[in-house]
Amino acid sequence: MVIVARLLILAFFLRYRILNPVHDAIGLWLTSVICEIWFAFSWILDQFPKWFPIDRETYLDRLSLRYEREGEPNMLAPVDIFVSTVDPMKEPPLVTANTVLSILAMDYPVDKISCYISDDGASMLTFESLSETAEFARKWVPFCKKFAIEPRAPEMYFTLKVDYLKDKVQPTFVKERRAMKREYEEFKVRINALVAKAQKVPPEGWIMQDGTPWPGNNTKDHPGMIQVFLGQSGGHDTEGNELPRLVYVSREKRPGFLHHKKAGAMNALVRVSGVLTNAPFMLNLDCDHYINNSKAAREAMCFLMDPQIGRKVCYVQFPQRFDGIDRHDRYANRNTVFFDINMKGLDGIQGPVYVGTGCVFRRQALYGYEPPKGPKRPKMVSCGCCPCFGRRKKDKKYPKNGGNENGPSLEVEDDKELLMSQMNFEKKFGQSAIFVTSTLMDQGGVPPSSSPAALLKEAIHVISCGYEDKTEWGSELGWIYGSITEDILTGFKMHCRGWRSIYCMPKLPAFKGSAPINLSDRLNQVLRWALGSVEIFFSRHCPAWYGLKGAKLRWLERFAYVNTTIYPFTSLPLLAYCTLPAICLLTDKFIMPPISTFASLFFIALFLSIFATGILELRWSGVSIEEWWRNEQFWVIGGISAHLFAVVQGLLKVLAGIDTNFTVTSKTTDDEEFGELYTFKWTTLLIPPTTVLIINLVGVVAGISDAINNGYQSWGPLFGKLFFSFWVIVHLYPFLKGLMGRQNRTPTIVVIWSVLLASIFSLLWVRIDPFVLKTKGPDTTQCGINC
């Protein structure tokens, strides 16, 4: 009701703005009206998908009662877990090791878990670190399961500032915990030694322990590599219990081939796992996202194995939660408004978008299959005497050749159809008979007749460079290529086929990761997301028209996807709107005509509806006012910096073919708590917000000085301009704090460029005054000869 009321008030407001121009500043007025119309359109796209928010609750005891009955085989579905990493210098091996250890120790049947590590940098450091991790897991996993440890990533568990003795009743716990902590510290020292050794590459390249050269010495030209660390021979812990399978994968890379970065690496893991284990469900995690809730997989199975809705669910998305963020979350790294408001709203339509990590997929959905159709209602059959009711019963037709329907005439075509079907599957999935067979197994599993050696040989084949040539990988299957934000495209394609997704928010966060908390890294991260959205907007997968023919994507869901691709374009009107208050102060002009009493009621109603919408969202989502305000502030900061650059770079890529390379966000942490928050790194993204900030500060000073000089009557009009100028400055306050750093020092180049641009812009504006109508001279008819 509030949304509809706000929509009506907004329509009246825009009508008033359009029909009442400001003639002495027509350019300023027109700019402001265009900006306001775009903001209204953007708000509609953002608000409408929030009409049906959903809170879901899981009952793990019921899942166990149905699928883990005592005395019977465990019927929980197997899960293949994917962890992707590229550069061990930016994604420290110890971080990846903690993620792997939390996976191996999760609360799920060990014979139904397989962990695959994708090393897309073919690093020997990652390989050796994983070998050390597999050995330490033999001690860590039984310790976690014996004492029900949470979280099961050792670094996070041992640094947790809580009472670790709470709910622990075993007499040996303290002794064993102390011993395990010492074991982990020794493990960290061994990992640190490997990292120190990897700092300097030998001239002859890396040599493995058996004396042979490391196959990945040339990271851009090496064969495919697969190593099974746990799960075949020797995959048992210190107490003799079986451990989950752990597999190292590095796909083949050769010059002249497109490898498609992370999306290509994930598709390689899909094929390798399809050959070796072929679990019906897959969980993908970034290397820095550890399992914080050991029952996370069970939470997802409550939906995916649900007998009523599970068959049509393509994936279960969990919210992203982060460690190491300052208490005030200066740069809105938690993205709470998106994860706790927008995603809940989408869950009530056709499901949340896929956000790249913390997501459990149905394998058949990634293979491009459509969801199973439910039983149709039986159509009413009439006798034919009344044409108004039902349909006439059709007579049974027989083939013209005289045979019956299932006779020999159809058997002649069976071999040809079988051959054509096999050719179609190879064109779709690639030339691997074992993998193609696995795609037809809805419940997963591998053929019992296959030997481990044959499966490994086939697994090497499916990660070769040319395997995807002339197939549908990346266009219709697996992770979709064509954007640096492949996650949005992948989920969008599934929703277009008619699948729905589920948003699961357990009380104990399922996964936790790290986030870039300094200003420069945060802006570069937002730039990457925004550029991916611009790429999708200009691609054939643009949500505005893609999939309209099938009509399996619901309209409100389409609105949400359109919003994810056009939000960077809001940077242009936002930048203009943030400079308008300063321009009005510098030129002593208004962008609005004098407001009547009747019109002022609409302004008051508009502000009240904005507050009411925000308060209601905070109430049903549980988001705090501080989190909401931080999101608003960074929306402005990112809008006039990262989003603006994304639009420019996206247009350059589309029109001129100029591509942009992105580096992996560093996952390293500062030894001092929140030390990275004050780290300053130069980037051109800092110039536009600094310039806007200085222009508004100059405008405030100029406006107040002018009011002092002109007397009391000029103070009234000044307050309206100052309000909007202060609105901009307050929104940019976190940016200003980040710019100053801990020592309140800013790099000289930032100050020089920003002051120079702001000064030139302000002086030229005052001198040229382009948006104000010019008069050629005094009107002598009014003031006579004394003019």
Side-chain angles (χ1 to χ4, degrees):
M1 289 171 63
V2 172
I3 292 173
V4 173
R6 181 174 170 182
L7 194 62
L8 294 173
I9 295 168
L10 196 59
F12 280 109
F13 169 77
L14 293 175
R15 179 181 178 275
Y16 172 81
R17 293 284 284 126
I18 294 169
L19 296 180
N20 294 273
V22 181
H23 296 288
D24 61 340
I26 197 71
L28 292 175
W29 167 81
L30 184 61
T31 302
S32 66
V33 169
I34 292 173
C35 293
E36 288 160 4
I37 292 174
W38 179 265
F39 292 151
F41 172 68
S42 179
W43 173 78
I44 290 171
L45 289 179
D46 177 69
Q47 200 69 43
F48 276 26
K50 299 177 185 176
W51 276 24
F52 307 107
I54 283 184
D55 276 315
R56 297 187 184 273
E57 191 170 348
T58 56
Y59 301 94
L60 301 182
D61 53 338
R62 300 182 189 177
L63 182 76
S64 297
L65 284 173
R66 182 181 288 269
Y67 295 110
E68 295 181 292
R69 294 173 181 171
E70 191 175 351
E72 297 181 10
N74 193 303
M75 298 302 293
L76 285 176
V79 183
D80 289 337
I81 304 173
F82 302 156
V83 179
S84 58
T85 181
V86 180
D87 186 353
M89 293 299 136
K90 294 183 178 179
E91 300 168 324
L94 190 62
V95 173
T96 305
N98 271 272
T99 299
V100 172
L101 289 168
S102 69
I103 293 170
L104 299 178
M106 64 191 296
D107 183 7
Y108 208 74
V110 292
D111 59 326
K112 296 179 183 291
I113 303 174
S114 299
C115 179
Y116 293 84
I117 311 299
S118 170
D119 177 18
D120 220 31
S123 170
M124 186 170 164
L125 172 58
T126 303
F127 181 86
E128 292 182 333
S129 300
L130 207 58
S131 178
E132 289 285 351
T133 304
E135 288 302 313
F136 179 69
R138 301 177 193 273
K139 304 170 185 176
W140 174 251
V141 172
F143 171 75
C144 289
K145 294 188 175 181
K146 181 178 180 180
F147 297 108
I149 297 301
E150 294 286 356
R152 297 189 179 182
E155 183 71 24
M156 287 66 196
Y157 172 68
F158 288 122
T159 56
L160 213 58
K161 296 178 181 178
V162 296
D163 180 14
Y164 63 85
L165 296 177
K166 187 179 180 181
D167 300 329
K168 298 294 183 289
V169 295
Q170 297 96 324
T172 61
F173 171 68
V174 175
K175 182 179 178 181
E176 292 191 39
R177 184 185 185 276
R178 192 179 298 118
M180 183 53 61
K181 186 174 183 180
R182 181 175 178 179
E183 291 280 358
Y184 177 64
E185 288 171 349
E186 292 175 357
F187 167 72
K188 286 177 66 174
V189 170
R190 294 195 295 272
I191 296 293
N192 292 338
L194 293 174
V195 174
K197 186 182 76 170
Q199 298 295 326
K200 188 176 181 181
V201 182
E204 67 279 5
W206 297 109
I207 305 296
M208 293 193 292
Q209 293 181 358
D210 60 357
T212 58
W214 171 246
N217 276 324
N218 187 344
T219 58
K220 297 181 180 179
D221 187 4
H222 64 84
M225 295 177 281
I226 296 178
Q227 174 67 46
V228 181
F229 284 107
L230 298 173
Q232 283 188 336
S233 57
H236 294 82
D237 60 29
T238 53
E239 297 182 1
N241 300 314
E242 185 182 357
L243 287 171
R245 184 182 297 236
L246 178 62
V247 184
Y248 169 89
V249 179
S250 182
R251 58 183 172 142
E252 182 187 20
K253 286 191 175 180
R254 302 294 182 194
F257 286 88
L258 286 174
H259 301 293
H260 302 290
K261 299 181 181 178
K262 181 182 176 181
M266 297 305 295
N267 284 337
L269 286 185
V270 172
R271 295 192 295 272
V272 168
S273 63
V275 171
L276 296 181
T277 50
N278 196 33
F281 303 108
M282 299 173 290
L283 164 64
N284 91 285
L285 294 171
D286 288 344
C287 65
D288 61 321
H289 273 69
Y290 66 91
I291 296 181
N292 183 65
N293 181 349
S294 63
K295 299 183 185 294
R298 294 175 179 268
E299 299 275 356
M301 290 306 130
C302 286
F303 302 106
L304 291 167
M305 299 185 71
D306 185 281
Q308 294 181 349
I309 65 168
R311 294 170 68 244
K312 293 189 177 183
V313 175
C314 57
Y315 60 81
V316 175
Q317 177 66 62
F318 291 86
Q320 291 186 20
R321 303 298 188 217
F322 301 99
D323 288 322
I325 297 176
D326 61 301
R327 184 167 59 89
H328 297 292
D329 192 14
R330 182 186 293 178
Y331 307 123
N333 282 283
R334 293 191 178 94
N335 280 329
T336 317
V337 170
F338 174 75
F339 286 113
D340 290 14
I341 297 180
N342 295 57
M343 296 287 267
K344 279 185 181 180
L346 288 174
D347 199 14
I349 306 170
Q350 200 174 340
V353 298
Y354 167 45
V355 296
T357 184
C359 185
V360 183
F361 286 96
R362 183 181 298 276
R363 187 181 285 269
Q364 293 294 307
L366 269 177
Y367 284 163
Y369 292 114
E370 293 190 354
K373 296 179 180 179
K376 293 183 178 180
R377 288 181 58 187
K379 294 183 178 179
M380 186 169 63
V381 179
S382 71
C383 60
C385 55
C386 181
C388 299
F389 298 97
R391 58 181 175 85
R392 293 188 63 181
K393 188 184 293 185
K394 295 182 178 179
D395 295 333
K396 189 174 182 180
K397 295 183 178 179
Y398 294 94
K400 292 182 179 179
N401 60 8
N404 60 40
E405 247 182 325
N406 301 316
S409 59
L410 295 180
E411 294 178 1
V412 179
E413 303 293 330
D414 285 351
D415 293 337
K416 185 183 292 186
E417 289 180 2
L418 184 62
L419 181 62
M420 292 297 294
S421 176
Q422 185 176 356
M423 291 175 62
N424 288 336
F425 273 109
E426 288 184 354
K427 184 178 179 181
K428 184 175 183 180
F429 295 104
Q431 296 185 353
S432 169
I434 294 178
F435 178 69
V436 168
T437 303
S438 73
T439 64
L440 300 174
M441 303 170 71
D442 291 348
Q443 302 304 316
V446 296
S449 58
S450 303
S451 65
L455 291 178
L456 275 176
K457 183 179 179 181
E458 195 67 21
I460 290 289
H461 168 59
V462 299
I463 59 172
S464 59
C465 283
Y467 184 83
E468 293 185 356
D469 291 349
K470 298 180 181 179
T471 67
E472 295 183 4
W473 284 101
S475 59
E476 299 296 331
L477 309 181
W479 271 256
I480 306 301
Y481 305 149
S483 171
I484 55 175
T485 51
E486 70 287 329
D487 44 5
I488 297 291
L489 267 182
T490 304
F492 175 62
K493 294 279 282 191
M494 294 184 194
H495 283 138
C496 285
R497 294 190 191 104
W499 292 95
R500 77 149 294 137
S501 54
I502 296 290
Y503 196 52
C504 181
M505 292 182 64
K507 292 180 180 178
L508 179 64
F511 313 102
K512 282 190 175 182
S514 60
I517 64 172
N518 71 71
L519 178 61
S520 303
D521 285 348
R522 174 69 167 137
L523 287 176
N524 277 299
Q525 182 189 54
V526 173
L527 172 62
R528 179 182 178 275
W529 295 341
L531 181 57
S533 296
V534 175
E535 288 176 343
I536 296 172
F537 180 80
F538 287 115
S539 73
R540 71 182 185 92
H541 291 113
C542 180
W545 52 76
Y546 183 84
L548 285 173
K549 187 177 180 181
K552 293 182 180 179
L553 186 68
R554 298 184 183 178
W555 279 102
L556 289 181
E557 190 81 9
R558 187 178 294 279
F559 277 12
Y561 274 111
V562 169
N563 191 39
T564 61
T565 58
I566 70 165
Y567 77 88
F569 295 96
T570 306
S571 59
L572 300 173
L574 183 61
L575 181 64
Y577 216 71
C578 286
T579 55
L580 281 177
I583 294 170
C584 292
L585 286 166
L586 290 169
T587 58
D588 196 24
K589 300 296 179 184
F590 291 91
I591 59 174
M592 296 186 69
I595 302 175
S596 64
T597 305
F598 180 74
S600 64
L601 295 177
F602 282 106
F603 280 87
I604 295 172
L606 180 62
F607 279 104
L608 290 177
S609 66
I610 291 172
F611 285 124
T613 309
I615 291 170
L616 283 175
E617 282 187 358
L618 299 183
R619 291 287 294 173
W620 62 254
S621 66
V623 174
S624 68
I625 294 178
E626 184 181 19
E627 290 170 327
W628 176 84
W629 173 238
R630 290 297 184 212
N631 181 80
E632 291 295 310
Q633 286 180 312
F634 200 80
W635 177 75
V636 175
I637 295 170
I640 61 176
S641 57
H643 297 174
L644 181 66
F645 277 72
V647 172
V648 174
Q649 291 180 12
L651 290 172
L652 286 174
K653 183 175 182 180
V654 172
L655 300 177
I658 301 174
D659 204 351
T660 307
N661 290 321
F662 282 90
T663 55
V664 179
T665 305
S666 177
K667 272 75 176 180
T668 55
T669 55
D670 198 290
D671 292 335
E672 185 181 353
E673 188 177 17
F674 309 132
E676 192 192 351
L677 179 67
Y678 305 100
T679 304
F680 191 92
K681 302 175 184 177
W682 159 247
T683 171
T684 52
L685 295 173
L686 301 175
I687 293 177
T690 309
T691 305
V692 170
L693 192 61
I694 293 174
I695 288 175
N696 276 277
L697 291 173
V698 170
V700 169
V701 174
I704 294 176
S705 301
D706 183 67
I708 292 173
N709 293 331
N710 292 335
Y712 177 79
Q713 69 276 5
S714 59
W715 282 96
L718 175 67
F719 284 124
K721 302 174 188 177
L722 288 178
F723 173 80
F724 286 106
S725 199
F726 278 123
W727 177 89
V728 175
I729 294 170
V730 168
H731 276 77
L732 293 177
Y733 178 69
F735 173 82
L736 180 61
K737 288 188 68 176
L739 202 64
M740 303 306 291
R742 171 174 286 165
Q743 293 81 21
N744 292 331
R745 294 171 57 191
T746 302
T748 309
I749 190 169
V750 178
V751 177
I752 291 175
W753 272 104
S754 301
V755 172
L756 184 64
L757 289 173
S759 302
I760 292 173
F761 183 78
S762 301
L763 292 172
L764 283 177
W765 195 280
V766 173
R767 179 69 183 88
I768 300 171
D769 216 3
F771 285 166
V772 181
L773 294 178
K774 300 293 188 297
T775 56
K776 295 180 180 179
D779 187 359
T780 56
T781 59
Q782 292 184 3
C783 55
I785 197 68
N786 295 324
C787 284

